[in-house]
Amino acid sequence: MYTERRSVFPGAVVWQKTAAGGEAAILPDGCMDLIWMNGDVVVAGPDSRPYLTRSREGDRYVGLRCSPGILPDLLGTPAEELTNLRVPLAEVLTDRATTEFLGRIADDADPGRALEEFARSRRLLGPPPDGRIPAIARLLEQQTSVREVADRIGVGERQLHRLCQRQFGYGPKMLARILRLQSALGLADSSIPAAQAAGMAGFADQAHLIREAHELTGRTFGQLVTV
């Protein structure tokens, strides 16, 4: 069972899942999460490939999924250092406030709320949000060329690449590919035929969508839609 709600922390959702048990693949989506599991909290870095998880039936997970580019500033850690990893929060942040938070959330009746409050407290401690980051993600989701994205936010292409590595965990072209596939999956989930979803998401054609789905996930687009 899986549910989610919009978070009071801007740019995030709170989700809950009770596992059926077995192995599952988490697909790349450009996001990063704080995940409460078995009383502990881990940081889920940005994925560039499917991340395989194993669970027991009845295991409960609660997460705060942050839109691309948000969580690195809250953690003070470049996203590229966490790509394709799941790392205990206690290894990423060792300050006293985080230690106290981890002690409280272990037995918290509402870990989702606790994760939101932690994110809000980290936002107050960290630098002001960089307005360029959501703009970059939005432009790349619209399949704007890398050169145009760089021009529109006022940086060179190399600087844009470094900025994307730091905030998203991979370069702008990779983020654009991931966001494009996620867009197509969302359209297909709305019962839009794959060929039409391909065009609406920015693929050249359905064959292009099929190739990208296999390269990014190792599965056919049809398999992804029926999961």
Side-chain angles (χ1 to χ4, degrees):
M1 182 181 68
Y2 176 89
T3 62
E4 69 176 45
R5 64 170 173 81
R6 181 177 296 179
S7 173
V8 297
F9 181 75
V13 298
V14 175
W15 57 269
Q16 297 190 47
K17 178 180 179 180
T18 301
E23 187 175 274
I26 309 300
L27 300 181
D29 60 5
C31 298
M32 292 178 62
D33 297 56
L34 294 174
I35 305 176
W36 176 92
M37 46 195 301
N38 301 319
D40 200 1
V41 178
V42 300
V43 179
D47 295 319
S48 63
R49 58 179 181 265
Y51 186 88
L52 297 180
T53 65
R54 292 177 178 82
S55 62
R56 297 168 299 182
E57 183 177 1
D59 280 350
R60 182 181 174 221
Y61 303 90
V62 181
L64 182 73
R65 178 177 299 116
C66 296
S67 297
I70 290 178
L71 200 51
D73 285 341
L74 301 185
L75 301 177
T77 302
E80 60 190 318
E81 295 184 9
L82 299 167
T83 302
N84 296 318
L85 297 176
R86 302 298 185 268
V87 182
L89 180 61
E91 294 183 13
V92 179
L93 293 172
T94 58
D95 58 278
R96 179 177 178 180
T98 301
T99 300
E100 292 176 349
F101 160 72
L102 291 172
R104 293 193 306 271
I105 197 174
D107 300 312
D108 200 303
D110 189 352
R113 177 198 57 77
L115 290 172
E116 290 176 294
E117 290 302 315
F118 176 74
R120 292 171 74 173
S121 69
R122 294 295 303 181
R123 173 65 80 205
L124 293 175
L125 294 172
D130 186 341
R132 298 176 302 174
I133 304 309
I136 291 170
R138 183 172 61 253
L139 289 168
L140 292 174
E141 186 173 22
Q142 296 168 352
Q143 300 305 299
T144 306
S145 71
V146 172
R147 175 176 295 181
E148 184 175 349
V149 173
D151 288 344
R152 291 176 67 170
I153 68 167
V155 299
E157 290 186 48
R158 289 186 179 180
Q159 186 177 351
L160 174 64
H161 187 85
R162 291 193 296 269
L163 185 59
C164 286
Q165 288 282 115
R166 187 185 75 208
Q167 297 297 136
F168 304 119
Y170 18 66
K173 290 184 179 180
M174 185 63 172
L175 179 60
R177 292 176 66 196
I178 289 170
L179 295 177
R180 182 173 57 190
L181 179 59
Q182 284 294 327
S183 177
L185 289 170
L187 291 166
D189 284 343
S190 301
S191 300
I192 294 176
Q196 185 177 352
M200 294 173 66
F203 291 91
D205 50 31
Q206 186 174 354
H208 183 203
L209 167 60
I210 291 171
R211 289 195 303 272
E212 282 286 274
H214 190 268
E215 288 184 15
L216 289 172
T217 73
R219 301 183 186 185
T220 67
F221 186 71
Q223 289 173 325
L224 297 176
V225 171
T226 56
V227 169

